[in-house]
Structures are given as structure tokens and as C-alpha cells.
């Protein structure tokens, strides 16, 4: 008979641990999924911002017949533009290239419309994402105009403002949902751990009544919570990695685009899983350590 009872208790303990691990892994999987969405939304936002280029046109006060001197002057100006801290990429566009681009944009193949290269040489400047900001873009344009050799700078301010505001609005909502899911994760994992500790409240109180110190009682529960948190986190990470691998293989993008950000996400998932599990275990166990024996029947 004792063997049967012992087996029953072990079976119930395994079932409880499996339930806790599944709860942790599912919740952390959702948290990690929103983390992936947030990371890639930020990357896509930066990519869109980098498409909003500004055009810096060269000053053409030099004699056009002195092409060597003009080219050298433009190279010096181009080098100064590339040195600016707000410039991510700069592309030199000659008069000939500008004419070809104009033909493509207008859908004209004939040369009759353009007797000569009437479009000025320029530099197509791609700004760093943090400078594609309505509060900063005007200052950037002013600084570009102040560079010796730049005659004018073309920029669609209204388009920049609209794109920036829309992207920021989307990122804000994604971040808000990510924080919400993190809170939900804390609540769900905490409830699972509390139910597990609740089932052992009489064991906790019995150990305390026979003289066991609180630290001695806490340590086994903390070690078990640490193991459960690690197992649940690893399962959640493996499930997330499998889903992400399938998704990237279907759309034809690299599985890992930024190693640092993905490593940080994995570390965050591990820390969240372990921290919430251990913290919830400590609080739940401490509650029963401080309670009276009569309170155990009504907790």
C-alpha cells in the first residue's frame, strides 16, 4: 500500500511539473514571437527610412569646358558629404547618369528630347534612420547646403514626415502588444507556480513545524523552479526557432539577419523564464511559511 501511495505521489508530481513546463514554454514562445516581430519591424522601418533619400546638387559656377577641374571639385565635395555623421551612404550621379535616369522615369527612349545633358550632377544621400526625423531633417538639409560646392538640396519633407509618423505609430503598437504579452506571461507563469506550491502547502508547513529553517525549506523549491524555468525556456526557444526557420525558408530570407539582436532575444527569454519562475516560487512558498496552520485550509 505505501508503495502504491508513493507511486501515486510521484505520478502527480511529474504531472504537475509537466503542466508547469508546458505553461512556461507556451507563454515564452508567444513572448519570443512578439520579440521577433518587433526586431524585424524595426529593421523594415529602417529599410523604408533609408529609401527616403535627399539630392545634393553641385554648384556649377566653374567653366564647363574645364572638365578636369570641375570633376576634381566635385570629388572633393563628394568626399566632404560622405564624411558627415548623418550620412549612411552617398552615391555620385554624373550629368550623363542623371539624363539616363530622367529618361527611365519619363519612359522616353529617344535622344531627340535631350540634345545635351541638361540635368546637373548630384549626390544621392541616404541618411541614417535616426536622422529621418521631421525634427532633424531640416537641420540635415541646412548642413548639406552649407558644404562648399553644394548649390541646392532637394527633399520631400511632407513625404518624410508622413512615412516617419506612420512607421513610428506601427512600432509603438507592436511594442505595446509586446509589453502586454510580457505582463500576461508573468501572470500566467506566476499562477502556474502558485498552484504547484499550493499543492505542497502541508508539506511546507510540516517541515517548518518539525524545526526546519526557512532557507532549508526554500532551497529545494528554488532549485526545482530553476530547472523547470530553464527547461520551459529551452522548449519555447526551440519551438520559436523551428517556426522562424520554416517562415524564413518559405519567404526566402536568411534565418539570422542580425546575430546580436537574436542572441539578446534568446537571453531575454531565458532570463524571463527563470526569473519569473524562481521569483514566483519564492513568493508563493514564503506565503505559506508565514501563514498559520488553520489558514492552510482556507488559502
Amino acid at each position: 500500500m505505501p508503495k502504491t501511495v508513493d507511486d501515486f505521489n510521484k505520478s502527480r508530481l511529474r504531472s504537475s511539473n509537466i503542466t508547469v513546463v508546458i505553461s512556461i514554454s507556451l507563454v515564452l514562445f508567444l513572448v519570443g514571437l512578439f520579440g521577433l516581430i518587433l526586431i524585424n519591424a524595426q529593421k523594415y522601418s529602417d529599410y523604408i527610412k533609408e529609401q527616403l533619400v535627399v539630392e545634393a546638387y553641385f554648384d556649377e559656377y566653374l567653366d564647363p569646358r574645364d572638365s578636369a577641374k570641375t570633376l576634381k571639385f566635385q570629388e572633393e565635395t563628394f568626399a566632404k558629404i560622405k564624411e558627415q555623421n548623418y550620412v549612411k551612404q552617398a552615391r555620385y550621379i554624373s550629368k550623363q547618369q542623371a539624363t539616363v535616369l530622367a529618361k527611365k522615369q519619363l519612359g522616353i527612349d529617344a535622344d531627340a528630347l535631350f540634345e545635351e545633358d541638361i540635368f546637373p550632377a548630384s549626390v544621392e544621400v541616404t541618411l541614417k534612420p535616426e536622422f529621418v526625423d521631421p525634427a532633424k531633417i531640416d537641420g540635415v538639409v541646412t548642413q548639406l547646403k552649407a558644404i562648399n560646392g553644394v548649390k541646392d538640396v532637394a527633399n520631400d519633407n511632407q513625404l518624410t514626415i508622413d512615412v516617419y509618423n506612420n512607421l513610428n505609430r506601427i512600432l509603438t503598437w507592436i511594442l505595446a502588444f509586446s509589453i502586454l504579452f510580457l505582463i500576461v506571461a508573468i501572470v500566467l507563469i506566476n499562477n502556474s507556480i502558485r498552484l504547484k506550491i499550493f499543492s505542497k502547502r502541508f508539506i511546507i508547513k510540516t517541515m517548518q513545524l518539525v524545526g526546519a529553517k526557512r532557507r532549508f525549506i526554500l532551497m529545494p523549491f528554488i532549485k526545482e523552479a530553476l530547472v523547470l524555468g530553464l527547461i520551459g525556456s529551452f522548449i519555447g526557444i526551440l519551438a520559436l526557432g523551428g517556426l522562424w526557420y520554416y517562415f524564413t525558408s518559405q519567404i526566402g530570407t536568411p534565418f539570422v539577419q542580425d546575430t546580436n539582436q537574436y542572441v539578446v532575444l534568446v537571453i531575454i527569454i531565458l532570463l524571463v523564464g527563470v526569473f519569473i519562475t524562481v521569483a514566483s516560487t519564492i513568493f508563493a512558498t514564503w506565503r505559506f511559511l508565514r501563514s498559520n496552520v488553520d489558514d492552510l485550509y482556507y488559502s
Side-chain angles (χ1 to χ4, degrees):
M1 184 68 179
K3 185 178 180 181
T4 305
V5 173
D6 187 55
D7 291 341
F8 174 75
N9 288 333
K10 289 182 179 179
S11 176
R12 188 173 63 176
L13 178 61
R14 284 195 297 267
S15 177
S16 174
N17 289 340
I18 292 173
T19 301
V20 171
V21 168
I22 292 175
S23 299
I24 294 171
S25 58
L26 285 176
V27 172
L28 293 179
F29 169 78
L30 292 176
V31 172
L33 184 61
F34 265 88
L36 279 177
I37 293 173
L38 184 61
I39 290 173
N40 287 276
Q42 181 64 56
K43 290 181 179 296
Y44 184 71
S45 172
D46 291 344
Y47 171 77
I48 294 297
K49 290 176 181 179
E50 289 170 4
Q51 307 310 305
L52 302 172
V53 298
V54 296
E55 292 279 351
Y57 296 99
F58 291 112
D59 197 339
E60 296 186 329
Y61 63 85
L62 296 175
D63 189 345
R65 290 172 295 182
D66 194 350
S67 58
K69 189 174 181 180
T70 300
L71 182 60
K72 182 180 178 181
F73 180 72
Q74 291 179 354
E75 288 177 351
E76 292 174 353
T77 303
F78 180 58
K80 291 178 183 177
I81 292 174
K82 289 197 297 183
E83 292 173 357
Q84 304 304 308
N85 66 324
Y86 48 81
V87 175
K88 180 174 183 178
Q89 185 179 349
R91 183 168 72 102
Y92 174 77
I93 300 177
S94 65
K95 284 189 172 184
Q96 294 77 17
Q97 290 174 323
T99 302
V100 172
L101 289 174
K103 288 179 179 179
K104 287 183 178 179
Q105 292 174 356
L106 294 174
I108 298 174
D109 295 328
D111 295 330
L113 186 63
F114 302 102
E115 296 179 357
E116 57 182 5
D117 298 322
I118 60 174
F119 297 98
S122 64
V123 178
E124 187 180 78
V125 180
T126 301
L127 303 178
K128 294 178 180 177
E130 59 268 26
F131 288 95
V132 184
D133 182 338
K136 297 179 181 179
I137 191 69
D138 290 337
V140 169
V141 171
T142 301
Q143 292 180 48
L144 277 174
K145 288 182 178 179
I147 295 176
N148 185 32
V150 176
K151 180 180 180 181
D152 192 19
V153 177
N155 173 58
D156 192 339
N157 287 331
Q158 188 57 47
L159 177 62
T160 301
I161 292 172
D162 291 341
V163 171
Y164 181 86
N165 290 337
N166 289 332
L167 290 174
N168 277 2
R169 193 176 297 114
I170 293 171
L171 287 176
T172 300
W173 276 105
I174 294 176
L175 179 60
F177 276 110
S178 300
I179 294 174
L180 177 62
F181 260 82
L182 182 59
I183 295 173
V184 171
I186 294 173
V187 173
L188 291 178
I189 294 175
N190 179 63
N191 287 340
S192 298
I193 295 298
R194 286 183 64 184
L195 288 173
K196 177 179 173 59
I197 300 299
F198 178 80
S199 65
K200 298 182 179 182
R201 65 192 185 282
F202 291 108
I203 298 176
I204 294 171
K205 183 54 67 175
T206 301
M207 294 173 66
Q208 187 179 25
L209 291 175
V210 298
K213 293 184 178 180
R214 293 181 175 181
R215 181 182 300 178
F216 178 82
I217 298 172
L218 273 171
M219 285 309 297
F221 289 100
I222 292 175
K223 291 179 181 179
E224 185 182 41
L226 181 61
V227 173
L228 294 177
L230 286 173
I231 294 174
S233 300
F234 279 120
I235 293 175
I237 291 170
L238 288 175
L240 183 66
L243 177 66
W244 186 244
Y245 177 78
Y246 175 77
F247 177 75
T248 52
S249 63
Q250 290 296 311
I251 63 175
T253 59
F255 176 65
V256 176
Q257 298 178 2
D258 190 328
T259 306
N260 293 333
Q261 288 186 326
Y262 288 168
V263 169
V264 170
L265 178 62
V266 169
I267 293 174
I268 289 175
I269 293 173
L270 282 172
L271 291 178
V272 168
V274 172
F275 174 77
I276 296 175
T277 307
V278 172
S280 299
T281 298
I282 292 173
F283 287 129
T285 308
W286 197 262
R287 176 193 172 197
F288 293 116
L289 287 173
R290 295 179 58 186
S291 62
N292 298 320
V293 176
D294 294 337
D295 295 336
L296 299 180
Y297 296 93
Y298 305 102
S299 298

